[in-house]
């Protein structure tokens, strides 16, 4: 039975195989893949990978709006609903992605809440924005224990103390406002322009500077102990935790989750090669290699023992912690403008 199923998959898969000499154009987040995984794909298929990178979600959208055509893109979760409604993404043929069977059903279910986005996108990597603290430095400065709460940064008394050891704010306005308002029991999506301005002003009044704009600089400063508390992604914290002195926390009030997914634009020039490349990345061995290279969590179903053996040391949120996770809210154009306008008062502040 298993042999016949695999044979059926392979017949369907090879029916759309790209020919040698083809090119697949891939547009991914910066430094978000093991280069050898690309090399192996090119060697095994004869298909050249034209690989380009972006650093923000807005940059990906701008590239698409400018008429750039790609075969595979990697949008994040809050972009999917808008892209699906705009008919930018191809509905995927699951028979051409046999390695979809290795993807976490929990991640697929979470994507389903985004206008049934699991029909158009395959999870690639996921992670959480939480608190990162230099345990000893923060406890020494606070003269007490480090609590698992956003209040560590957002309570004015704590913020005033931690500034002396290098507390900084996450340099991403929507994400920062989302976790701040969540701490206050509110939701960014429900805020008017006045509410967004008020929340930004309250962040400004904490007196905490913005962190460096580049991930590489943030990793370096965390690793050197120049930052004792901030908000960032678990993968960034893992990269920086070279001496084991950093602690990553998913606060009791909740953590911000992201899922970055592999998708094929409707106008992709080489859809056949796109399917082959996506299936290559979903292969458990390649997913594990990319996870080790990026420090983020792959979409693999790690409840399966063969997959878990590929990444025995990876730290996963507990079931209780996962229940506390929430997605970044999808904002209207007017709310985005309000965020950008309000954030400019923070953006001019001295950086670390």
């Amino acid at each position: 039975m298993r042999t016949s199923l695999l044979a059926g998959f392979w017949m369907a898969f090879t029916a759309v195989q790209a020919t040698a000499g083809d090119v697949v154009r891939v547009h991914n987040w910066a430094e978000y893949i093991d280069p050898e995984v690309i090399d192996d794909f090119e060697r095994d298929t004869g298909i050249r990978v034209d690989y380009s990178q972006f650093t923000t979600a807005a940059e990906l959208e701008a590239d698409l709006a400018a008429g750039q055509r790609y075969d595979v893109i990697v949008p994040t979760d809050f972009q999917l609903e808008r892209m699906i409604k705009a008919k930018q993404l191809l509905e995927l043929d699951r028979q051409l992605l046999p390695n979809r069977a290795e993807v976490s059903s929990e991640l697929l279910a979470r994507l389903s809440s985004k206008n049934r986005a699991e029909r158009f996108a395959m999870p690639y990597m996921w992670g959480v924005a939480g608190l990162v603290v230099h345990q000893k430095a923060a406890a020494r400065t606070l003269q007490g224990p480090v609590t698992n709460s956003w209040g560590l940064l957002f309570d004015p008394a704590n913020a005033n103390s931690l500034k002396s050891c290098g507390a900084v704010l996450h340099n991403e306005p929507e994400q920062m406002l989302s976790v701040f308002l969540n701490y206050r029991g509110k939701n960014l999506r429900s805020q008017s322009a006045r509410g967004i301005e008020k929340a930004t002003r309250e962040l400004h009044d904490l007196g905490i500077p913005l962190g460096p704009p580049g991930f590489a600089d943030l990793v370096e400063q965390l690793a050197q102990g120049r930052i004792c508390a901030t908000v960032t992604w678990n993968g960034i914290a893992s990269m920086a935790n070279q001496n084991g002195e950093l602690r990553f926390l998913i606060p009791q009030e909740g953590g911000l989750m992201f899922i970055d997914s592999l998708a094929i634009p409707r106008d992709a020039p080489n859809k056949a090669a796109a399917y082959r490349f996506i299936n290559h990345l979903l292969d458990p061995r390649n997913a594990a290699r990319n996870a080790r290279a990026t420090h983020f969590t792959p979409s693999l179903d790690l409840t399966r023992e063969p997959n878990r053996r590929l990444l025995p040391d990876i730290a996963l949120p507990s079931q209780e912690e996962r229940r506390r996770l929430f997605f970044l809210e999808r904002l209207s154009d007017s709310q985005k403008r309000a965020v950008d306008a309000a954030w400019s008062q923070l953006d001019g502040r001295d950086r670390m």
Side-chain angles (χ1 to χ4, degrees), residues 15-193:
V16 294
Q17 277 193 351
T19 59
D22 277 351
V23 175
V24 60
R25 297 193 66 201
V26 179
H27 203 37
N28 194 4
W29 291 84
E31 300 180 28
Y32 212 31
I33 198 169
D34 182 338
E36 291 186 1
V37 171
I38 297 176
D39 294 341
D40 288 351
F41 176 81
E42 292 183 324
R43 185 195 63 236
D44 293 345
T45 65
I47 300 170
R48 182 173 66 84
V49 179
D50 182 356
Y51 192 83
S52 58
Q53 302 179 115
F54 55 91
T55 57
T56 67
E59 186 178 339
L60 168 61
E61 294 188 13
D63 291 339
L64 294 173
Q68 293 290 334
R69 296 179 68 191
Y70 305 103
D71 300 304
V72 178
I73 57 174
V74 190
T76 200
D77 50 82
F78 64 83
Q79 297 177 287
L80 289 174
E81 282 185 274
R82 183 165 59 252
M83 287 184 168
I84 292 168
K85 286 184 178 180
K87 301 187 184 302
Q88 288 181 281
L89 303 181
L90 182 73
E91 184 164 358
L92 298 175
D93 184 341
R94 296 179 185 181
Q95 286 192 325
L96 301 182
L97 296 170
N99 285 327
R100 183 185 187 276
E102 304 292 345
V103 174
S104 163
S105 59
E106 180 181 341
L107 292 183
L108 290 169
R110 286 183 181 267
L111 275 191
S112 181
S113 68
K114 301 284 185 179
N115 197 16
R116 293 190 62 198
E118 84 286 355
R119 297 175 302 161
F120 298 86
M122 283 293 101
Y124 173 58
M125 295 282 175
W126 69 280
V128 183
L131 283 166
V132 183
V133 296
H134 190 288
Q135 186 75 10
K136 291 181 180 178
R140 184 171 56 248
T141 301
L142 292 170
Q143 298 183 345
V146 174
T147 59
N148 186 19
S149 168
W150 289 116
L152 185 72
L153 273 180
F154 298 150
D155 179 274
N158 289 338
N160 190 55
S161 296
L162 289 174
K163 282 185 292 185
S164 65
C165 67
V168 297
L169 295 180
H170 191 39
N171 197 18
E172 292 286 346
E174 290 180 35
Q175 296 163 14
M176 196 72 242
L177 285 167
S178 181
V179 296
F180 179 67
L181 286 165
N182 179 72
Y183 167 69
R184 296 291 185 86
K186 300 177 182 179
N187 183 291
L188 178 57
R189 173 65 176 161
S190 66
Q191 298 300 303
S192 64

